[in-house]
Amino acid sequence: MRAAVVHSFDAPPRYADFPEPVAAGAHEVLVDVLAAGLHPRVRSAADGTHYTSDGTLPLVPGIDAVGRTADGELLYFVADDGATGTLAERSVVDRRRSITLPPGTDPVAVAAAMNPGMSSWVALRRRAAFRPGGSALVLGATGSAGRLAVAISRHLGAERVVGAGRDPRRLALVRAQGADDVVDLTGDVEEAAARVGRAAADVDVVLDYLWGAPAQHTIPALLRARTDRAKPLAWVQIGSVAGPEVTLPSSVLRAAALTVMGSGQGSVTTAGIVAELPSLAAEIASGALAVDVLTVPLADVEQAWNRPTEPGRRVVLMP
């Protein structure tokens, strides 16, 4: 079959021949891939920087897709650990990591939105134990996952949502997704953190897609601004596009009811993630949750890899 093949972590995948995977297990089925998203998680696997990478080459990247079985069943699936990736003409699906989509579902919409949507959906429902009527801050709200996080927070019952982002041109879109207030994170990092503190002082949950310097300065600024520091605050670390590390004084953890946790592969069971997929897929299929999509033929994967993409847009590759 043809696939996007990584031969070096220093170069983009090339469209090339690759051995077709074989469905061998009791729960496995071979599908024709219809659409697969080029997510940041896919890129980090392809350059060897993701924390799950074991350095094995060559590899086919891709972590999820929409595919069709020989019987015509439409599936959304998450690739099994160690399996051939989804940026290929065909893929093996472990049915325990998949859901059936209704006939007529747009494969492109699901392939584009499930991965970024899953990040906040799972974080709120499986990690932060978010309750309707609560409030949320999305740190990194101008990316595609962050904008969806604003909409998903509102959809899951948030009474107030604040979106903070580093692309001031897209803050109006964040407000259109349901944010009550937006904060521009550009400029001096301490001043930006103080602005976030004033806007989101008493939120219940922070969905953090940035980490790095924005998180390092925003955590103490937010805690200083809280009306009641004993009110629990769940800081859910989802992405680290602003940097992989932070430094925090120990007093931050003692002086407030702050819980810092991660949400990602390993912190939630596969069964727990899969259990959340049908309800999320239904919202995407209905049009309630969507992202800006650019479709590209899989044969053009190398060009798509290097092509600058407008912030907030998700590339979907189609064999």
Side-chain angles (χ1 to χ4, degrees), residues 144-266:
S144 58
R147 283 169 50 205
L148 267 181
V150 170
I152 286 170
S153 298
R154 183 68 77 191
H155 179 79
L156 293 179
E159 187 174 279
R160 175 174 168 76
V161 182
V162 178
R166 300 185 297 172
D167 185 347
R169 300 170 302 165
R170 304 188 69 81
L171 285 176
L173 298 176
V174 174
R175 195 180 290 277
Q177 290 283 66
D180 297 283
D181 200 358
V182 295
V183 181
D184 183 353
L185 294 179
T186 58
D188 181 82
V189 66
E190 291 189 4
E191 293 178 0
R195 292 195 294 270
V196 176
R198 290 191 293 270
D202 294 317
V203 297
D204 301 294
V205 176
V206 178
L207 300 174
D208 177 13
Y209 289 87
L210 299 181
W211 205 233
Q216 180 170 312
H217 291 273
T218 298
I219 290 173
L222 192 62
L223 296 179
R224 284 194 298 268
R226 288 176 83 72
T227 304
D228 178 7
R229 292 191 187 183
K231 178 186 177 183
L233 172 62
W235 188 287
V236 189
Q237 204 284 309
I238 301 173
S240 54
V241 296
E245 298 177 353
V246 301
T247 299
L248 292 174
S250 61
S251 59
V252 166
L253 300 177
R254 298 195 303 271
L258 170 68
T259 301
V260 180
M261 68 189 77
S263 184
Q265 187 175 348

